[in-house]
Amino acid sequence: MEKERSFYQRLKEKGVSRRDFMKYCTALTATMGLSSSFVPGVAEVFAAPAQRPPVVWLHFAECTGCSESLLRSQYPYIDELVLEVLSVEYHETIMAAAGHQAEEQLQNAIKKYEGKFICIVEGGVGTKYNGGYGKVGGRSFLEIAKDVCPKAAAVIAYGTCATFGGIQAAAPNPGGYKGVGEAIGIKPLQIPGCPPNPINLVGTVVNYLLLGKLPELDDMGRPLFAFGNTIHDKCPRRSHFENEEFVEEFGSEEAAMGYCLYKMGCRGPETYNNCPTAKFNDGTSWPVEAGHPCIGCSQPNFWDTMTPFYEEM
Ligand code: FSX
Ligand code: SF4
Ligand code: F3S
């Protein structure tokens, strides 16, 4: 009770009302595919966490957009929520330590929490030349991944770079970049997207803390609650050529179809992600709603198989 009171007090100091917070929990619960009866439980995971799993967050080849999308854009207080439920032991972007001190922190964390920590990986891993195409603290990404990931209780590959290789794996891929699973032969839980939607990571973690298990996954290791449908399946622009009223309003099926971005190269029909329902930036909008075709950023081999952008497949 005391814990909960101080949590709401801290949110209030950040200008976030209990109502805003409940709105977020409701959206999160719906995204996780749970009924609304779970909303109070979800709120409690944040407000009075029973446990805070230690997290080691690794950065490999990427743009840090995955961390940025999590820490900045969605809700002004998402950082509070994340730091409330997770005990982040190592994260190069947000940690105060630097240099040798930071590396020491990583070693200490994996020793202290061996078999217990969650390892979140952001970025692709170079596999050619013994991983020589990318290093942190004098060690290659490949060496770090091989050292840290097997010691974790669970590995979450976060973003298209960590899941499928991403932009650095685009042809001609001189560094032999791959997703972390393929690079070191493990099967991580995968949350692709460039950037991924932070609600899918938070939903995965909350699912684990609330129900004591990871969400159901597809054969690529992606949570079904987020990647069970294509963009096209839930796209509101589809309604314009499938809904008689719209067709009537536009004058013909062809004219109504013009509202769809397929001819501008939309990859929605072959891209699995929940952007149309989860949206970005506090549920404000998402690419197709903002008038931009989906470029397939969460698919395997995004970049090569999705380019040239803006051309019909
Ligand atoms: Fe990749 Fe994440 Fe795209 Fe960027 O770190 S998925 S380039 S948004 O930031 O890995
Ligand atoms: Fe499908 Fe894209 Fe058209 Fe939406 S805009 S209906 S996702 S092709
Ligand atoms: Fe990416 Fe397409 Fe969503 S480009 S952000 S999967 S709409």
Side-chain angles (χ1 to χ4, degrees):
M1 213 46 201
E2 195 42 50
K3 238 189 205 173
E4 219 169 307
R5 236 195 316 271
S6 78
F7 172 78
Y8 285 112
Q9 187 56 37
R10 280 202 307 284
L11 278 189
K12 204 170 147 197
E13 281 158 17
K14 288 197 151 202
V16 181
S17 68
R18 195 183 271 251
R19 199 163 163 267
D20 290 336
F21 172 65
M22 289 316 288
K23 208 178 118 203
Y24 174 74
C25 292
T26 306
L28 179 62
T29 308
T31 301
M32 289 161 67
L34 299 177
S35 80
S36 55
S37 64
F38 283 94
V39 174
V42 167
E44 209 181 295
V45 166
F46 294 113
Q51 43 158 333
R52 290 172 70 225
V55 168
V56 169
W57 191 301
L58 300 176
H59 284 266
F60 297 138
E62 36 85 10
C63 78
T64 309
C66 304
S67 282
E68 291 289 336
S69 79
L70 177 70
L71 296 168
R72 306 200 194 286
S73 59
Q74 195 185 18
Y75 283 78
Y77 53 96
I78 188 83
D79 52 343
E80 174 94 8
L81 297 187
V82 170
L83 299 174
E84 204 72 42
V85 292
L86 302 173
S87 168
V88 181
E89 301 294 321
Y90 179 87
H91 185 305
E92 286 152 20
T93 319
I94 59 172
M95 69 199 291
H100 292 297
Q101 211 186 11
E103 291 317 298
E104 216 176 282
Q105 208 157 310
L106 173 63
Q107 289 310 323
N108 290 344
I110 57 177
K111 203 180 284 162
K112 184 164 170 203
Y113 299 110
E114 185 160 355
K116 296 192 187 86
F117 68 93
I118 299 177
C119 181
I120 300 180
V121 177
E122 186 176 338
V125 178
T127 57
K128 271 197 200 163
Y129 314 111
N130 215 6
Y133 260 75
K135 292 185 174 185
V136 175
R139 290 201 300 165
S140 71
F141 299 154
L142 187 63
E143 192 184 339
I144 300 171
K146 279 184 182 162
D147 173 28
V148 180
C149 294
K151 295 177 182 143
V155 178
I156 299 178
Y158 189 49
T160 297
C161 301
T163 50
F164 305 125
I167 186 162
Q168 43 282 313
N173 191 5
Y177 270 92
K178 290 178 177 168
V180 65
E182 207 191 330
I184 64 167
I186 57 165
K187 282 197 178 310
L189 185 143
Q190 312 233 73
I191 303 180
C194 185
N197 195 321
I199 205 159
N200 294 335
L201 177 64
V202 179
T204 298
V205 172
V206 169
N207 192 100
Y208 177 70
L209 295 176
L210 183 68
L211 307 173
K213 57 176 185 189
L214 290 172
E216 219 184 308
L217 308 176
D218 69 6
D219 55 3
M220 284 192 216
R222 303 174 295 189
L224 277 173
F225 75 75
F227 300 95
N229 288 299
T230 65
I231 296 291
H232 184 73
D233 283 336
K234 302 264 172 177
C235 181
R237 286 186 189 256
R238 208 176 131 148
S239 56
H240 287 78
F241 57 88
E242 282 181 356
N243 182 317
E244 274 175 38
E245 260 172 55
F246 282 122
V247 172
E248 212 169 292
E249 199 185 313
F250 281 80
S252 70
E253 205 169 300
E254 214 186 353
M257 179 72 195
Y259 195 65
C260 160
L261 304 172
Y262 189 72
K263 286 190 189 311
M264 286 174 69
C266 185
R267 308 289 187 245
E270 60 259 273
T271 302
Y272 287 81
N273 209 337
N274 59 354
C275 311
T277 47
K279 303 191 180 183
F280 286 85
N281 297 336
D282 198 354
T284 310
S285 191
W286 62 288
V288 170
E289 188 176 332
H292 196 284
C294 168
I295 57 172
C297 78
S298 56
Q299 282 302 102
N301 298 321
F302 168 73
W303 209 264
D304 291 347
T305 53
M306 296 298 169
T307 45
F309 299 138
Y310 310 114
E311 273 179 29
E312 202 180 324
M313 278 287 200

